[in-house]
């Protein structure tokens, strides 16, 4: 997959995407990296720990989140993206589903748009990405969690998202897909999409897995958000063993270590 001027391959992976929330209210680390200085310090730390991509988010998408204006989101993310682009040699992702924010973020230096609605909330975002020659992550989501055959419906939704992206002019080598753990799914459905994540390989695109500290883990283990590292690591290991290529996480060092351990075992 091509992200900016960097090529990400199955042979050289897996890759970790470090989460940088420049928000005051994210479910896990809201406010911790809200200032530009702290955002850059945290970016430097995550790169040192092995992150290949930094995912900048300016609006919390936790359950029950409050949507902010395009202008406010742009004001939060663009200065951070500009400074990361100047200071670090790393791929930059922007976590947004709004075309105006995506356009501003790409102009500021982002290389990938990470859309939690897979291009379905604001379809103009697809043409924005295409015109910029940028990459996109299409995450599974839908307005109502009503399914017939759950996994087949998830795959069909993702295929429709991919088709729309290709039709808009986004090149195939700049698309990745995400099963959408925690979005439009109840607890059992989150476990099911995790269990069958390997089925997404049928689509033929790199898979990004984003489970870090999510409620699925909290519910399974009965743990608060700040005690879900081990549960996250279990999903990372399972995801890697079932074909996932990218892992969007808060705890870069720990996830890099478990992935390296699996690689070492495999290479023996």
């Amino acid at each position: 997959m091509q992200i900016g001027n960097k090529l990400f391959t199955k042979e050289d992976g897996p890759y970790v995407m470090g989460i940088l929330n420049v928000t005051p209210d994210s479910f896990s680390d809201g406010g911790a990296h809200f200032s530009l200085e702290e955002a850059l310090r945290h970016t430097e730390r995550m790169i040192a720990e092995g992150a290949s991509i930094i995912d900048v988010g300016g609006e919390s998408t936790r359950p029950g989140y409050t949507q902010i204006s395009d202008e406010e989101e742009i004001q939060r993310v663009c200065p951070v993206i500009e400074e990361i682009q100047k200071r670090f040699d790393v791929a930059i992702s922007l976590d947004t589903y709004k075309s105006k924010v995506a356009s501003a973020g790409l102009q500021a230096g982002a290389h990938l748009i990470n859309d939690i609605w897979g291009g379905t909330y604001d379809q103009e975002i697809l043409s924005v990405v295409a015109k910029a020659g940028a990459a996109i992550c299409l995450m599974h989501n839908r307005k109502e969690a009503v399914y017939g055959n759950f996994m087949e419906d998830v795959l069909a939704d993702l295929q429709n998202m991919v088709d729309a992206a290709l039709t808009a002019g986004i090149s195939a080598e700049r698309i990745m897909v995400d099963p959408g753990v925690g979005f439009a799914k109840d607890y059992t459905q989150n476990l099911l999409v995790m269990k069958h994540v390997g089925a997404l390989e049928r689509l033929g695109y790199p898979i990004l897995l984003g489970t870090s500290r999510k409620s699925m883990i909290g519910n399974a283990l009965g743990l608060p958000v700040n005690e879900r590292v081990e549960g996250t690591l279990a999903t990372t290991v399972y995801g890697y063993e079932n074909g996932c290529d990218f892992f969007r996480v808060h705890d870069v060092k720990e996830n890099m270590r478990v992935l390296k351990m699996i690689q070492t075992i495999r290479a023996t």
Side-chain angles (χ1 to χ4, degrees):
M1 179 171 185
Q2 191 79 30
I3 305 175
N5 62 0
K6 298 184 182 299
L7 182 65
F8 294 81
T9 67
K10 197 86 170 175
E11 296 72 31
D12 292 335
Y15 303 97
V16 166
M17 173 189 281
I19 298 170
L20 182 64
N21 287 320
V22 287
T23 62
D25 58 346
S26 289
F27 86 97
S28 177
D29 55 0
H33 315 301
F34 196 42
S35 73
L36 179 59
E37 294 76 16
E38 180 49 40
L40 292 171
R41 277 195 294 270
H42 190 52
T43 296
E44 186 173 27
R45 190 158 53 240
M46 290 192 291
I47 294 170
E49 291 176 350
S52 300
I53 307 170
I54 301 298
D55 189 46
V56 180
E59 178 182 89
S60 172
T61 53
R62 74 195 191 287
Y65 72 95
T66 301
Q67 189 177 66
I68 62 173
S69 69
D70 291 358
E71 291 72 24
E72 184 175 357
E73 192 173 347
I74 289 167
Q75 287 169 8
R76 289 181 182 181
V77 300
C78 285
V80 175
I81 291 169
E82 287 171 359
E83 287 302 315
I84 293 173
Q85 197 269 337
K86 285 179 192 173
R87 300 188 192 197
F88 307 106
D89 181 26
V90 68
I92 305 169
S93 167
L94 172 57
D95 184 354
T96 191
Y97 51 90
K98 303 169 188 172
S99 61
K100 287 183 181 177
V101 179
S103 180
L106 291 169
Q107 288 178 40
H111 310 109
L112 166 73
I113 296 300
N114 185 12
D115 185 347
I116 64 164
W117 285 101
T120 63
Y121 178 90
D122 179 354
Q123 294 183 10
E124 183 64 24
I125 202 168
L126 298 176
S127 60
V128 166
V129 172
K131 287 174 186 174
I136 193 164
C137 179
L138 302 168
M139 193 193 80
H140 180 263
N141 204 347
R142 51 165 61 184
K143 290 181 180 177
E144 293 185 3
V146 179
Y147 301 92
N149 183 315
F150 175 68
M151 276 308 300
E152 291 304 316
D153 288 354
V154 168
L155 291 169
D157 289 349
L158 283 168
Q159 185 63 63
N160 288 337
M161 292 171 180
V162 167
D163 291 344
L166 293 171
T167 299
I170 300 173
S171 58
E173 67 270 16
R174 295 185 184 271
I175 294 173
M176 68 169 77
V177 294
D178 179 338
V181 172
F183 292 83
K185 300 167 188 69
D186 61 25
Y187 172 58
T188 301
Q189 289 165 343
N190 282 317
L191 289 172
L192 280 171
V193 82
M194 184 71 235
K195 181 178 180 179
H196 299 293
V197 69
L200 271 66
E201 288 191 294
R202 286 190 231 163
L203 300 169
Y205 294 89
I207 303 167
L208 180 142
L209 183 64
T211 59
S212 188
R213 305 182 187 175
K214 287 188 175 176
S215 61
M216 174 189 75
I217 295 166
N219 291 335
L221 301 179
L223 293 172
V225 69
N226 62 339
E227 293 186 30
R228 298 176 186 172
V229 177
E230 298 91 346
T232 300
L233 297 177
T235 62
T236 295
V237 171
Y238 187 89
Y240 182 45
E241 288 292 286
N242 286 273
C244 295
D245 307 283
F246 296 87
F247 299 86
R248 182 182 181 272
V249 302
H250 299 87
D251 306 288
V252 173
K253 176 180 66 179
E254 292 84 350
N255 282 273
M256 284 297 300
R257 285 177 177 174
V258 297
L259 289 167
K260 186 175 181 180
M261 190 68 224
I262 301 172
Q263 288 178 288
T264 302
I265 295 168
R266 282 185 172 186
T268 302

